Amino acid sequence: MVRFFSRRLVTMLLALLFISTFTFFGMKVIPGGPFDSEKQLPPAIQKNIEEKYGLNDPLLKQYTDYLSGVIKGDLGPSFKYPNRSVNDIIKESFPVSAVLGCVAILLALSVGLCLGVLSALKQNQWQDYLAVIIATLGFSVPSFVLAALLQYVFAYKLGWVLPAMWGTWQQTILPAVSLAALPTATITRLMRSNMLEVLQEDYIRTARAKGLKNRVIIYRHAIRNALMPVVTYLGPMVASIFTGSFVVETIFAIPGLGRYFVNSVFNRDYTLIMGLTIFYSIFLMTMNLLVDLSYAVIDPRVKLTGKKE
């Protein structure tokens, strides 16, 4: 256990160092700056601004100063949001993105697992064909296209919900469905294929020969063993939903981190771009660690070393 966590911690720290370094120098290589605008600033004002934020320091000093701040948990000030730090922006906006992401994840898991199991149990029947059609649509339609279609149909045509903004549970439905479409399709396909494979295993035949009820066989044996690939997909699924929320949050005018990330790219807000990248990297690596730990819960044979007894 201690060895496992030690290795993972070292790996995460090295990954964060690489991500921080790559993002920092990548921002510096791209032409332009956060204070470039159509109206040319007077040289004196430009110099004062660069001195305030340390932009006139040597590149290596800027890098070491930023890295030391990251180690202390200080992601620096935002260049485009006066008197606001990157930490403040994350504290204010991430809870909104977290609520939207959690709803989308729960929706993808519940619908995807149900459709996958039903499709496997009703193979080559209309339920199977319906699940395959839904999964195909989820793979084919991008989240931003689906978001626009949902807005047009349910907001403008039917008038059931508001087309944008945030504040009530009704306003989470359309963006959550937009984000959950692709993960739902993936989980459906994974669960269907693995359920079909598990149902052909010898221990399933043995359980049936013992006279166990079909419901007990499905819920206690088949589904549990078919879940392993789905659990493996949880890490990339979280990444897909939270990165997909950048565009979806902008379409639905949701005050989450996605809006700030998109605006920071257009505004060349170096510290905000780097801070959000580091924050999401830490979040995703933590989720992958939790996924690895969940293996031992689902399958007792799996040890934290990645081996089976």
Side-chain angles (χ1 to χ4, degrees):
M1 176 74 75
V2 176
R3 183 180 300 178
F4 171 79
F5 278 105
S6 300
R7 287 201 306 264
R8 291 301 297 267
L9 181 61
V10 171
T11 303
M12 292 172 65
L13 291 176
L14 291 176
L16 282 176
L17 178 61
F18 173 79
I19 292 170
S20 303
T21 304
F22 180 82
T23 307
F24 179 86
F25 288 103
M27 291 292 99
K28 298 297 182 179
V29 168
I30 300 176
F35 301 106
D36 293 343
S37 60
E38 296 181 2
K39 183 178 180 181
Q40 186 68 30
L41 293 174
I45 296 178
Q46 183 78 22
K47 182 179 179 180
N48 290 335
I49 292 176
E50 291 179 351
E51 185 175 353
K52 176 183 178 181
Y53 291 105
L55 297 177
N56 54 356
D57 293 334
L59 190 60
L60 184 59
K61 185 178 186 304
Q62 294 183 44
Y63 171 70
T64 54
D65 290 344
Y66 180 77
L67 202 60
S68 63
V70 171
I71 294 174
K72 298 175 184 177
D74 182 12
L75 299 177
S78 171
F79 292 157
K80 288 298 183 177
Y81 296 93
N83 301 321
R84 298 186 69 187
S85 67
V86 177
N87 296 65
D88 294 334
I89 292 174
I90 292 175
K91 289 178 183 178
E92 294 174 7
S93 56
F94 180 70
V96 176
S97 296
V99 170
L100 177 60
C102 289
V103 173
I105 290 171
L106 291 176
L107 182 62
L109 283 174
S110 57
V111 176
L113 292 177
C114 291
L115 285 178
V117 173
L118 179 64
S119 179
L121 296 178
K122 303 292 183 180
Q123 187 181 14
N124 297 327
Q125 300 182 33
W126 69 268
Q127 296 94 333
D128 185 19
Y129 299 141
L130 178 61
V132 171
I133 291 174
I134 294 175
T136 303
L137 290 175
F139 280 115
S140 304
V141 182
S143 60
F144 61 90
V145 175
L146 180 59
L149 290 175
L150 292 176
Q151 279 184 327
Y152 178 75
V153 174
F154 293 99
Y156 294 108
K157 285 297 183 180
L158 299 178
W160 291 355
V161 294
L162 293 176
M165 299 307 294
W166 181 265
T168 63
W169 67 269
Q170 293 94 335
Q171 292 172 329
T172 66
I173 297 175
L174 297 187
V177 171
S178 303
L179 289 175
L182 178 58
T184 300
T186 305
I187 292 173
T188 300
R189 295 290 295 272
L190 283 174
M191 200 64 189
R192 179 183 184 275
S193 61
N194 287 294
M195 277 292 293
L196 290 175
E197 181 178 348
V198 167
L199 290 175
Q200 303 301 319
E201 295 290 341
D202 292 337
Y203 64 87
I204 297 294
R205 298 192 185 97
T206 303
R208 286 174 175 161
K210 291 181 177 180
L212 291 179
K213 294 181 179 180
N214 191 55
R215 182 172 58 183
V216 175
I217 296 174
I218 297 300
Y219 287 102
R220 290 190 180 180
H221 301 284
I223 291 180
R224 183 170 183 175
N225 287 279
L227 275 176
M228 291 298 290
V230 177
V231 173
T232 304
Y233 174 66
L234 282 179
M237 182 184 73
V238 172
S240 174
I241 287 179
F242 276 86
T243 55
S245 66
F246 294 159
V247 178
V248 172
E249 286 181 8
T250 303
I251 293 175
F252 288 98
I254 297 174
L257 276 183
R259 181 186 64 177
Y260 285 103
F261 190 86
V262 173
N263 291 337
S264 66
V265 174
F266 287 111
N267 294 331
R268 302 297 303 280
D269 195 342
Y270 293 154
T271 51
L272 188 54
I273 293 174
M274 293 184 291
L276 293 181
T277 302
I278 292 172
F279 175 77
Y280 274 117
S281 300
I282 295 174
F283 178 79
L284 293 177
M285 285 189 285
T286 303
M287 289 302 302
N288 287 331
L289 176 61
L290 294 177
V291 167
D292 291 342
L293 294 176
S294 66
Y295 290 152
V297 176
I298 296 176
D299 190 348
R301 297 172 298 172
V302 177
K303 298 299 181 181
L304 292 181
T305 57
K307 300 178 181 179
K308 290 187 177 182
E309 291 182 331

